[in-house]
Amino acid sequence: MDRLSLDCLLPGSSLTPSQGRSDLAPPTISDTLLTPLVTAFQASYPNVRVQILVTDRVIDHIAEGIDLAFRIGPLKDSSLLARKILTYRRQLVANPDYLKTRKPPEAPKDLLEHRLLAFWRRGIETSWTFVHRDRGGRETITFQPYLTMNDFAGLAPALLAGGGIGELPPVVQPELVRQGRLVEVMPDWRFPTWDLSLVHLGNRHIPKPCRLFKEFAAQTAPTLFPDLPR
C-alpha cells in the first residue's frame, strides 16, 4: 500500500528537502479543505495511506519525510516548485451587533478606533495592508491587537461573540459570512490576494501518489470554494 504525507505551512514558514511521500498544508484549513480533499482522494485511490502534519514551524523535508506541502503566500525558496490550488483574500469581518454599537470604519485609519482581532505572526504589533478596490491605493496600519491567536479557527468564535473587527480567510468557516453571522467591514478597502499552493522540491523524484494528489487537489479545491473573494 502506498503512503502519502501532508503538512500545512503559514506565510513565512520554510521548507527543506524531503525523501518521503508527504504533503504540507496551512493550519486552520484542515477541516474545510484538507480533510475533504484527502477523503475524496482516498475514495478514488483507496490503497493510499495518508499522513498529515499541521504546523507553522520550519520544516525539514528530508528529516520529516515531507514530499508535498500546502503553502500560503509567495515562495522564497527557488528550489521549490509550486502548483496553485486557490487564490483568495482574507476578509475583514465583524458581528453585525458589534457594528451597531460603534461607527463602522470607512478607511484603514478608522480601524484604530476599534478592537482589532488578528492572526498572531509573532511580535507584539501587527500590520495590515489594504488596497482600495477602485482607486488602487495602498494603506498600512500598525497596531497592538485586542486579541491575537495563531489559529484563525479560534478567532472566529471571538468575532462571533462581538469581540471586535478581525481578519478571517474565506476558507475558514465560510458559512459564517454566507449566513450573515459575520459581515464584511470596510469593503472598499481589501487585503491583498494570496495564493494557496502545493509545493515540492524541484530536484527530487515525486512518487506517483504525490503526483496524483497534486493534480486531484488542483481540480477539486476550486469546487469546494466556488465563490472565493478576490
Side-chain angles (χ1 to χ4, degrees):
M1 183 172 286
D2 292 312
R3 178 176 65 87
L4 173 67
S5 301
L6 304 169
D7 190 40
C8 306
L9 291 180
L10 290 172
S13 303
S14 60
L15 307 175
T16 56
S18 161
Q19 292 176 328
R21 263 167 282 187
S22 307
D23 300 344
L24 298 172
T28 69
I29 65 166
S30 57
D31 59 336
T32 57
L33 176 63
L34 188 55
T35 299
L37 278 180
V38 169
T39 54
F41 178 76
Q42 288 184 307
S44 298
Y45 301 95
N47 291 326
V48 178
R49 288 193 178 100
V50 177
Q51 296 176 331
I52 299 174
L53 171 65
V54 179
T55 184
D56 63 351
R57 61 181 173 81
V58 175
I59 294 297
D60 184 325
H61 266 205
I62 293 178
E64 304 195 46
I66 302 299
D67 287 326
L68 291 174
F70 283 96
R71 173 67 184 262
I72 294 178
L75 295 179
K76 298 179 180 180
D77 189 339
S78 60
S79 68
L80 297 174
L81 296 180
R83 175 68 182 273
K84 185 170 66 175
I85 303 301
L86 295 171
T87 298
Y88 60 85
R89 62 177 172 84
R90 291 166 293 150
Q91 291 175 286
L92 196 66
V93 298
N95 186 313
D97 291 336
Y98 171 84
L99 296 175
K100 292 176 182 178
T101 65
R102 294 170 178 258
K103 182 181 178 181
E106 298 179 357
K109 60 181 177 58
D110 299 336
L111 291 169
L112 300 176
E113 304 299 321
H114 289 263
R115 299 196 303 249
L116 302 180
L117 284 62
F119 189 90
W120 184 64
R121 296 175 176 85
R122 296 177 173 80
I124 297 176
E125 292 187 332
T126 293
S127 292
W128 284 344
T129 296
F130 298 91
V131 179
H132 194 275
R133 178 178 60 180
D134 298 322
R135 300 196 301 269
R138 298 173 71 93
E139 289 192 19
T140 299
I141 61 169
T142 299
F143 58 94
Q144 292 188 13
Y146 182 70
L147 173 65
T148 183
M149 185 183 306
N150 67 336
D151 183 12
F152 279 119
L155 285 178
L159 289 165
L160 280 173
I165 298 173
E167 55 180 322
L168 197 65
V171 295
V172 177
Q173 301 184 31
E175 71 280 359
L176 298 180
V177 174
R178 188 167 56 244
Q179 296 169 357
R181 299 170 66 192
L182 294 175
V183 296
E184 189 166 11
V185 177
M186 207 176 63
D188 286 341
W189 289 93
R190 300 176 171 185
F191 288 114
T193 57
W194 276 353
D195 288 337
L196 174 65
S197 304
L198 268 173
V199 303
H200 62 84
L201 287 165
N203 59 355
R204 289 185 179 270
H205 171 72
I206 300 296
K208 183 178 179 180
C210 296
R211 295 196 304 270
L212 290 172
F213 183 79
K214 184 173 66 172
E215 295 305 314
F216 182 87
Q219 295 177 15
T220 306
T223 69
L224 299 175
F225 302 97
D227 300 312
L228 286 176
R230 300 190 180 188

